[in-house]
Amino acid sequence: MRIGILTGGGDCPGLNAVIRAVAKTLMHEHGAELVAFLDGYDGLVTDRTMDIDWETVSNILTQGGTILGTSNTANPFDWAEKVDGKMTVTDRSADALAVFEKHRLDGLVVIGGDGSMAIAGRLASCGVPIVGIPKTIDNDVPGTERTFGFQSAVNVATEALDRLHTTASAHHRVMVAEVMGRYAGWLALEAGVAGGADVILIPEIPFDWDAVFEVCRRRHRIGKRFSIICVAEGARPAGGKMVVHRRVEGSPDPVRLGGVGRLVSGTVEQQTGISSRSTNLGYVQRGGSPCAFDRVFATMLGYQAAGLVAGGRWNRMASWQRGRLADVPLEDVAGGSRNVPPDDPLLAVARSVGTSFGEA
Ligand code: F6P
């Protein structure tokens, strides 16, 4: 059995842990040979590979990033490149299929988020046998209740909120922390609850400015002279727009967000008269070593994916449902996004301890 493997999309802690688990399980338990494609789907289209053996995947469990490299712009079906200074988009899926054939592969393991799974679904419909593994700090891949990388990012954001708490209290300020999460607010929600944020703003609940001001004013009135606001980069005021930082042309989703934290902080200070500062946590949430939970969880998902490969159960994604390892058809995952539903229990839990979601 010869199996290809790649990591696609934005990186997150635990990618190396999952590569190690898939490779070791397939080599050790099933005698498989592995070929890795470099920089996500880019390597599959341009035939850039790395052989995987026992040595390659030794000592990488705790390493951040991915030894294979990744890309969140490479898409074989919409291949964007500059020709004579002009961005052109072509379909290079035939090249990807030819490279897959050339390496005499029986299947491909794709470790990625919602975008990578959507591409995996299209490759599967072209005849490439695929097993997917969900990763992302956003925790928004459909078909699984958890992605690896998420918990590590929650821990980073929580520690930042803890640190902001002490300086907020010392200076009697409103401290705003902006965390990642374009369309899904899971990271802001869990870190906000863990860090005791007074206000959590997520993309799924457009916020009311007056409600946010009132939380800060009320806390001041009762002698709590500081407030903590945890805002997802994709949060927006009701009737308003997301704050776009830049566009990355040629990317499947070209919009890159950033700046809502600064907007919230500036507006709160202006409207309430309370001093405010903002901090954008940015890429520190994606970098660094996976936490213990993600090391274990990534290893479990890698084991599950290797089992799907060995059993010939193609075009499925390893997943986590109701506290157990599971798997779902790739076609149920491809193209979707899992957002925080209005009845998510953690919303009610947070409200019960006085956290505001900026609702009117
Ligand atoms: O999907 C992961 C993620 O980190 C998002 O939370 C964020 O909006 C986006 O990727 C940033 O992408 P890039 O690495 O291209 O700046």
Side-chain angles (χ1 to χ4, degrees), residues 144-181:
T144 185
E145 290 163 10
R146 204 89 180 165
T147 56
F148 71 85
F150 174 64
Q151 191 60 52
S152 302
V154 168
N155 291 358
V156 169
T158 301
E159 194 196 333
L161 289 172
D162 291 350
R163 290 175 183 276
L164 290 173
H165 244 107
T166 61
T167 173
S169 150
H171 283 267
H172 317 300
R173 280 176 170 157
V174 175
M175 282 295 190
V176 181
E178 178 178 322
V179 303
M180 282 187 169

Side-chain angles (χ1 to χ4, degrees), residues 82-282:
K82 274 204 171 137
V83 179
D84 298 331
K86 234 185 96 192
M87 189 64 84
T88 58
V89 179
T90 49
D91 183 351
R92 290 196 60 186
S93 53
D95 292 321
L97 298 182
V99 170
F100 180 81
E101 290 297 324
K102 178 191 155 189
H103 289 280
R104 294 175 288 106
L105 297 173
D106 298 298
L108 179 66
V109 173
V110 172
I111 305 161
D114 49 356
S116 304
M117 291 306 148
I119 296 169
R122 291 183 73 182
L123 283 173
S125 59
C126 295
V128 178
I130 291 191
V131 163
I133 308 179
K135 66 88 222 182
T136 168
I137 65 163
D138 298 339
N139 201 30
D140 61 352
V141 179
T144 185
E145 290 163 10
R146 204 89 180 165
T147 56
F148 71 85
F150 174 64
Q151 191 60 52
S152 302
V154 168
N155 291 358
V156 169
T158 301
E159 194 196 333
L161 289 172
D162 291 350
R163 290 175 183 276
L164 290 173
H165 244 107
T166 61
T167 173
S169 150
H171 283 267
H172 317 300
R173 280 176 170 157
V174 175
M175 282 295 190
V176 181
E178 178 178 322
V179 303
M180 282 187 169
R182 261 192 271 203
Y183 307 114
W186 296 108
L187 180 51
L189 177 59
E190 286 214 7
V193 170
D198 305 295
V199 180
I200 299 174
L201 304 177
I202 60 175
E204 294 87 341
I205 307 178
F207 62 88
D208 177 75
W209 280 116
D210 287 328
V212 177
F213 305 150
E214 185 47 27
V215 171
C216 305
R217 286 194 191 109
R218 192 182 60 235
R219 284 180 55 80
H220 252 244
R221 275 200 306 272
I222 63 170
K224 301 269 185 196
R225 295 174 57 212
F226 70 92
S227 300
I228 302 292
I229 301 180
C230 181
V231 55
E233 61 181 353
R236 61 186 167 86
K241 289 194 173 128
M242 295 192 298
V243 181
V244 175
H245 167 57
R246 57 174 292 194
R247 289 179 64 83
V248 179
E249 295 311 333
S251 177
D253 184 351
V255 168
R256 295 294 180 276
L257 303 175
V260 68
R262 196 132 41 114
L263 173 73
V264 169
S265 168
T267 312
V268 164
E269 181 169 293
Q270 194 190 45
Q271 294 295 317
T272 65
I274 305 167
S275 168
S276 179
R277 297 288 188 271
S278 77
T279 303
N280 186 346
L281 300 187

Side-chain angles (χ1 to χ4, degrees), residues 27-45:
M27 291 188 296
H28 188 245
E29 306 263 305
H30 306 287
E33 287 174 23
L34 273 100
V35 175
F37 293 100
L38 301 178
D39 302 333
Y41 290 112
D42 194 303
L44 182 62
V45 170

